[in-house]
Amino acid sequence: MKNIRIALSLLMLIGVSSCDEFLSETPDNRLQIDTPEKISELLADAYPDGSYVSITESMTDNVSDNKSSLVNINNEQSYNWELQDDQTGRDTQGFYWNAAYKAIATANQALLSIKELSDTPNLNPQKGEALLARAYAHFMLVSIWSNRYNPATAATDLGIPYITEPETVLIGSYKRNSVKEVFDLVEADMQEGLKYITNEYRTDYLKYHFNKEAAKAFAARFYTIKGDWAKVLEFTEGLGNRPVGKLRDWVAYNGYDFPNKPIEYAKNTQITNLLVGFPSSICGRATSTNRFAFTRAKERDEILGAETNIFNKDWLIDISIQGASGANVAVYKFDEYFKYTNLTAQIGLPFTGVVLFSNDEMFLNRIEAHVMTNQLDIATAELEYFLGTRTDGYAATDVLTKAKVYAKYPVIADEYTPFYALSPEQTSFVKAITEARRREFLHEGQRWFDIKRFNLVIEHNTYNSQGQISKKNILVKDDKRRAVQIPLNASNNGIEKNPR
């Protein structure tokens, strides 16, 4: 990605007490991180070079069995909420775990280098980015490999190791912090990073690194998970209650030709995109090749059918039939860039553009915060605006009312059960917002985090060659499989496994 490439997990500190002149010299050609520019370059690697998208999306109710004979073992195991054995290839649980901790190690090295340079004010932008990057990677790890955040149990629930120092040994021994400890540390790093983050020093690559808006979006997501609604409203205040021109323009997106749609979706010039990653991933291919994927039945019946629109109109979200059998459908979101490492042999590495934070997510979090603070009139107007920008033929006569929300999204006993209480009115609105979020971020893996925090029950069926259900798999409330099992490469090195 940049010139600086440091395998931080392999860095060894050389402890010597001799004054020998030879030993005072750098014993190899290792680059010294001793200028602000070098720290900035180092921070290009402080973001996971792997994607959670294929992992978490396959675990959601967005996918079903298209009944094809082709099976990707990683896709199947995620679909059944199983450990992906010893798989550590691209788009696997083990790959993302390793990628997140490598990103953390890079952020820690940057922070150490800043400290060694006396932590002067001119290094504040780099310090802010490093702290936010460290917080983000830990937050994603705890969101996938631990139980959902619940203040009643967080102090005893197993979290993940929170690493705050650069690696100095090849294989260290790590203890899992509690979920509460991880969330406290994420919050501390995030709040400290927010003090220093700026939009000035990354002007050419602004949206590929944490910036002020992306940092606020991260904070809004974090406090939505914690249920701190005042904080959510604080960090989303800049959007207002009608963010004209700040959300994704689906009409414009539909106007692009096929090759340009995925390029435009994750483009850094799209105003809604606040932080864009380019991890090594083939998640875009998975939408067409996976057996357990977004199918035509799901599109028609549950997510994008006109009957799911509260205005009884078609959605603007454009789809295309995928796969040899035509059983899968997809929204073109993922642009894959293949970097050849050997042009003659036609081999290389795939990288895929992924939107990590957006104004769309922030605005949905803001609407939810207004619901949870009993500002339903404001939430109704906001939700109408959001849904209107996604509805084909939306007109001034398409008016959303609270009564329509209650009728479209009725309360079902014991369906949505977050750790906090919901009134019947709040339940209907939260269901409406959650379904909007589900539709908006289709294929992107975010649905899994709503399934966890609302403790939703979902069912995954597998079919045999005769089209009959051969396996019925239900993820019940508080199912231990909601915390993905620790990858074998980590548990074999002493990381405590999740209960099963």
Side-chain angles (χ1 to χ4, degrees), residues 366-438:
R366 181 171 179 80
I367 301 171
E368 188 173 341
H370 278 134
V371 169
M372 296 309 302
T373 53
N374 293 307
Q375 301 180 73
L376 295 184
D377 289 336
I378 295 175
T380 302
E382 290 174 330
L383 187 58
E384 180 185 318
Y385 178 76
F386 184 85
L387 296 177
T389 61
R390 273 86 179 127
T391 297
D392 191 7
Y394 171 76
T397 53
D398 295 316
V399 178
L400 186 65
T401 64
K402 286 182 279 187
K404 285 183 178 180
V405 174
Y406 303 150
K408 185 72 173 179
Y409 300 97
V411 176
I412 298 174
D414 203 35
E415 182 185 19
Y416 277 65
T417 53
F419 68 80
Y420 44 83
L422 292 171
S423 71
E425 294 78 14
Q426 288 172 331
T427 300
S428 290
F429 268 90
V430 165
K431 286 178 67 173
I433 295 163
T434 304
E435 284 301 305
R437 189 183 286 112
R438 178 188 188 185

Side-chain angles (χ1 to χ4, degrees), residues 26 59 62 69 86 99 132 179 254 266 292 452 473 476 496:
T26 303
M59 296 192 290
N62 288 345
S69 58
D86 59 350
L132 286 161
V179 169
N254 291 339
F292 305 102
K452 285 187 72 166
N473 203 346
V476 299
E496 184 178 356

Side-chain angles (χ1 to χ4, degrees), residues 94-111:
F95 190 90
Y96 186 74
W97 172 280
N98 292 341
Y101 275 113
K102 287 177 183 176
I104 290 164
T106 303
N108 284 335
Q109 180 60 49
L111 289 167

Side-chain angles (χ1 to χ4, degrees), residues 111 114 119-132 188-201 210-212 215:
L111 289 167
I114 290 168
D119 200 2
T120 52
N122 67 309
L123 291 168
N124 282 347
Q126 290 90 338
K127 183 177 180 179
E129 182 181 2
L131 287 165
L132 286 161
D189 275 349
M190 182 182 68
Q191 290 284 8
E192 187 71 6
L194 279 160
K195 296 178 185 177
Y196 305 119
I197 199 66
T198 177
N199 289 348
E200 279 69 53
Y201 95 111
F210 266 109
N211 50 71
K212 287 183 177 181

